[in-house]
Amino acid sequence: MTVEFISVGTEILLGNIVNTNAAYLSEKCAGLGLSCYHQSVVGDNEKRLEDALHLALSRSDIVILGGGLGPTKDDLTKEVTAKVFGKELYEDARTRARIEDYFARVHNRNITANNWKQAMVPEGAVVVDNDNGTAPGLILEENDKTAILLPGPPNELKPMFESKIAPYLNGLQPEGIYSKMVKICSMGESRVETVITDLLETQTNPTLAPYAKTGEVHLRVTARAKSEEEADALMKPMMDELFHRFGDKIYTTEEDVTLEDAVVELLKGKKMTVTTAESCTAGLLAGRIMNVAGASEVYEEGYITYANRAKSKLLGVKEETLEAYGAVSEQTAREMAEGAAKAAGADAALAVTGIAGPGGGTKEKPVGLVYIGCYVKGHTEVKEFHFTGNRAKNRDYAVVRALTFLREELVKERS
């Protein structure tokens, strides 16, 4: 089956917001085994939206429209879709009651008249409750064509798709689509693809698809089957082979588990604590760790030491080290990691020092040069990295490499 996405909103065309919904829907629908050949963005214009929907329905089985379901006059998605499908709008009593309840829960009883516009739905449409907002989703089916209308805000669209739309789409196919995720760190995209080239060339059912992420590679194994049990049996040989080839470079097979989640769980399992000492990343690394629920069990304090004086004062980095080798050096990274562990009384420590850019680089020490020190129970290792992105990307890569480095050292922890 083919699916097509129409993102609605003049603000997307003008670049005022980034269209993250399309990327999200693309990945999720691919995981459901749906083929997507076209995507489009349309402003808040009735005629252009009507033309775009007619075109999409002429070449795709399912059209998913995101946005334009709000209470204002320029929110036209529902009205245009009803017109294209030849349906009248009526007020859905259940949706009206849910809107009233929503405003009561957020302690705002000043419901303006235009909010009731969101309770109007096309005849024959399946109303999809919105548990995070006031605009419901809608599903319209006619002549083997389906239109699915979703609210635009990602914090409404994503949970609605996960809990209600994905199961609906899965049910449209004669066989269900089931998948497992294999997340790999410590290896780049090209190397991972080289390792699995033969699997990619001979895949049938299940299939294998790689996705490059910042500092990681994710592999999705997908099977078509009549039941989850049958799918698991089909995917098991592939999963076993991936573990055989990548071993402990696989940090999880859970869709929602992040690299920092895995690192925190590893620390918990070993009953160890960690601290961080950051220069160029300025707290980003600590933030990634503390984003994990329960991270306070393994992380008590950290240090942002941008200036050399701070590195000496808080971490005990020797002045002669800074003078001889500079702040961005293997020697400084080592002393930062060891000093942080001592200051915090932690079992492990990560230290990051580098030149994120755009300025500050030299021929000897160019922008993107980063040293990461990792201390684990009395043993310290330092790695040198050369990143080639802009300031934000260099800092993001440094954080991921630091987390990966710590995980590697924890996995091979010395007794």
Side-chain angles (χ1 to χ4, degrees):
M1 300 182 74
T2 57
V3 63
E4 185 164 337
F5 310 125
I6 300 177
S7 301
V8 183
T10 301
E11 66 275 16
I12 303 174
L13 287 175
L14 295 177
N16 298 138
I17 63 172
V18 177
N19 189 8
T20 59
N21 286 342
Y24 168 81
L25 291 170
S26 296
E27 183 174 353
K28 292 300 179 182
C29 286
L32 291 169
L34 298 168
S35 299
C36 177
Y37 303 127
H38 302 279
Q39 299 181 19
S40 60
V41 178
V42 183
D44 301 308
N45 179 278
E46 182 175 356
K47 179 64 168 63
R48 288 192 285 273
L49 178 55
E50 183 178 346
D51 290 344
L53 182 53
H54 274 298
L55 177 60
L57 289 169
S58 73
R59 62 193 181 191
S60 301
D61 302 306
I62 302 162
V63 180
I64 300 178
L65 300 97
L69 298 182
T72 60
K73 290 182 179 180
D74 63 345
D75 291 309
L76 301 166
T77 302
K78 178 172 51 184
E79 290 76 8
V80 170
T81 305
K83 178 181 178 182
V84 170
F85 276 74
K87 305 292 184 181
E88 296 293 327
L89 296 172
Y90 74 97
E91 184 177 90
D92 180 60
R94 186 169 184 277
T95 299
R96 183 184 176 103
R98 286 179 63 86
I99 293 172
E100 290 177 328
D101 178 66
Y102 176 87
F103 277 97
R105 283 188 286 114
V106 298
H107 305 291
N108 182 358
R109 299 185 182 278
N110 298 317
I111 307 177
T112 56
N114 56 359
N115 278 286
W116 304 125
K117 176 176 180 286
Q118 295 179 299
M120 302 297 290
V121 304
E123 297 172 327
V126 176
V127 180
V128 182
D129 291 338
N130 184 349
D131 297 324
N132 299 281
T134 55
L138 297 165
I139 301 174
L140 289 86
E141 299 174 328
E142 190 81 19
N143 299 323
D144 296 323
K145 298 289 184 178
T146 301
I148 299 173
L149 282 61
L150 300 175
N155 62 354
E156 297 178 32
L157 180 146
K158 291 181 179 181
M160 183 182 291
F161 186 89
E162 293 279 354
S163 63
K164 294 156 186 173
I165 303 304
Y168 165 80
L169 292 172
N170 215 12
L172 295 180
Q173 305 185 84
E175 291 182 307
I177 304 295
Y178 304 89
S179 64
K180 291 182 181 294
M181 181 65 80
V182 176
K183 296 185 179 181
I184 298 169
C185 60
S186 303
M187 290 181 73
E189 179 186 11
S190 57
R191 188 175 167 202
V192 168
E193 185 173 346
T194 299
V195 173
I196 60 172
T197 296
D198 60 316
L199 299 178
L200 293 172
E201 291 176 347
T202 59
Q203 61 183 328
T204 53
N205 187 25
T207 58
L208 180 63
Y211 300 89
K213 304 293 181 179
T214 301
E216 304 178 36
V217 180
H218 297 178
L219 302 176
R220 184 179 293 278
V221 180
T222 304
R224 293 178 180 271
K226 294 179 180 178
S227 67
E228 187 172 358
E229 293 75 19
E230 182 181 329
D232 285 341
L234 286 169
M235 288 187 282
K236 187 177 186 305
M238 178 79 78
M239 295 293 290
D240 289 345
E241 185 61 26
L242 292 175
F243 270 95
H244 173 70
R245 298 188 185 195
F246 294 106
D248 59 22
K249 289 181 173 59
I250 297 174
Y251 71 83
T252 187
T253 58
E254 299 295 324
E255 184 88 36
D256 297 328
V257 172
T258 64
L259 178 58
E260 54 267 32
D261 289 331
V263 169
V264 168
E265 285 305 307
L266 199 52
L267 287 163
K268 287 181 180 178
K270 293 178 176 289
K271 294 181 170 52
M272 293 172 61
T273 57
V274 68
T275 187
T276 54
E278 303 179 63
S279 184
C280 63
T281 49
L284 289 178
L285 175 56
R288 279 283 292 268
I289 295 172
M290 295 309 296
N291 278 340
V292 179
S296 58
E297 293 180 37
V298 301
Y299 190 103
E300 293 184 355
E301 62 184 81
Y303 310 91
I304 299 174
T305 55
Y306 224 65
N308 286 355
R309 182 166 173 264
K311 291 178 177 66
S312 297
K313 178 182 177 182
L314 298 176
L315 306 176
V317 177
K318 299 181 182 68
E319 290 186 11
E320 51 265 35
T321 299
L322 293 167
E323 290 175 3
Y325 303 103
V328 181
S329 64
E330 176 184 346
Q331 293 80 2
T332 296
R334 181 180 300 276
E335 292 186 21
M336 285 175 66
E338 293 172 350
K342 182 179 179 180
D347 301 304
L350 283 170
V352 184
T353 180
I355 305 168
T362 65
K363 184 177 180 180
E364 294 75 22
K365 295 184 179 182
V367 168
L369 172 64
V370 174
Y371 290 95
I372 300 175
C374 183
Y375 168 96
V376 175
K377 288 188 172 180
H379 182 86
T380 308
E381 295 282 347
V382 179
K383 289 186 177 182
E384 177 181 321
F385 297 90
H386 292 266
F387 304 127
T388 57
N390 58 24
R391 180 178 177 83
K393 190 172 182 180
N394 289 339
R395 296 171 81 211
D396 286 342
Y397 267 105
V399 168
V400 175
R401 295 303 186 198
L403 289 169
T404 300
F405 193 2
L406 176 58
R407 181 181 176 276
E408 291 170 349
E409 293 301 300
L410 291 173
V411 167
K412 66 178 184 183
E413 182 200 345
R414 296 158 178 80
S415 57

